[in-house]
Amino acid sequence: MRFLKLLSVTVAGAAFLAMLAVLPARLCFDYGDAYTFFTGDTSKNCNQVTLTENIERERLKLTGVCGECATYTQFDFENYLKTVNGEIVFCEKLSDSVNYYCKADLPYSVELYGKIINLHVCIRKDGVKVASPIIFGGY
């Protein structure tokens, strides 16, 4: 009987530790208007899973996540950059948007033009899209 108690406590402890290893998968961004996870291993086979609710719980069900993205009607880019220890690597100005490619303390990264990039912010008149490592699929 004592062995069974010890075994059940050991199994429960192992399950708790396993849960702690999985659950800290925090999100890169606040929820925003929509939240997208990129899955796959390259931009060629990248799939997008966009959610508007239960985001953290649904994240746990996904495999092969290689990036995250959120859209906002308003976004404090400078403040966010500070919170992730970010630095602008280069900027790309287009007719309808400004794109900032940055390095920051975020879990995903790609090499772009010989630089490691893990934060992409696209600012347009109608909103902001923020992604790590970059915005896949356009905006």
Side-chain angles (χ1 to χ4, degrees):
M1 186 60 123
R2 185 173 181 192
F3 174 74
L4 290 177
K5 285 182 182 179
L6 182 61
L7 181 63
S8 65
V9 168
T10 303
V11 169
F16 179 74
L17 291 176
M19 186 174 66
L20 286 179
V22 173
L23 289 180
R26 66 176 176 79
L27 301 176
C28 291
F29 313 107
D30 290 334
Y31 295 146
D33 301 321
Y35 207 94
T36 300
F37 293 99
F38 302 119
T39 62
D41 58 8
T42 66
S43 61
K44 290 180 183 178
N45 76 349
C46 184
N47 296 309
Q48 297 183 31
V49 178
T50 301
L51 305 165
T52 56
E53 58 185 36
N54 301 319
I55 297 166
E56 290 157 324
R57 186 177 68 210
E58 294 299 318
R59 163 62 175 97
L60 295 174
K61 297 176 186 177
L62 297 173
T63 58
V65 174
C66 62
E68 300 177 29
C69 181
T71 57
Y72 303 93
T73 50
Q74 294 185 8
F75 183 76
D76 187 346
F77 175 49
E78 290 182 24
N79 187 51
Y80 181 74
L81 208 55
K82 288 177 188 174
T83 64
V84 293
N85 195 28
E87 173 186 325
I88 298 170
V89 176
F90 62 91
C91 177
E92 179 180 66
K93 294 180 182 179
L94 304 172
S95 63
D96 65 343
S97 62
V98 179
N99 288 274
Y100 295 95
Y101 297 88
C102 312
K103 64 178 182 176
D105 293 336
L106 293 169
Y108 311 102
S109 65
V110 294
E111 185 176 322
L112 195 60
Y113 306 121
K115 305 285 185 182
I116 299 298
I117 301 297
N118 57 5
L119 174 63
H120 178 187
V121 178
C122 179
I123 301 174
R124 297 182 358 175
K125 287 182 182 178
D126 61 346
V128 177
K129 194 167 202 174
V130 183
S132 180
I134 61 172
I135 300 168
F136 292 110
Y139 176 56

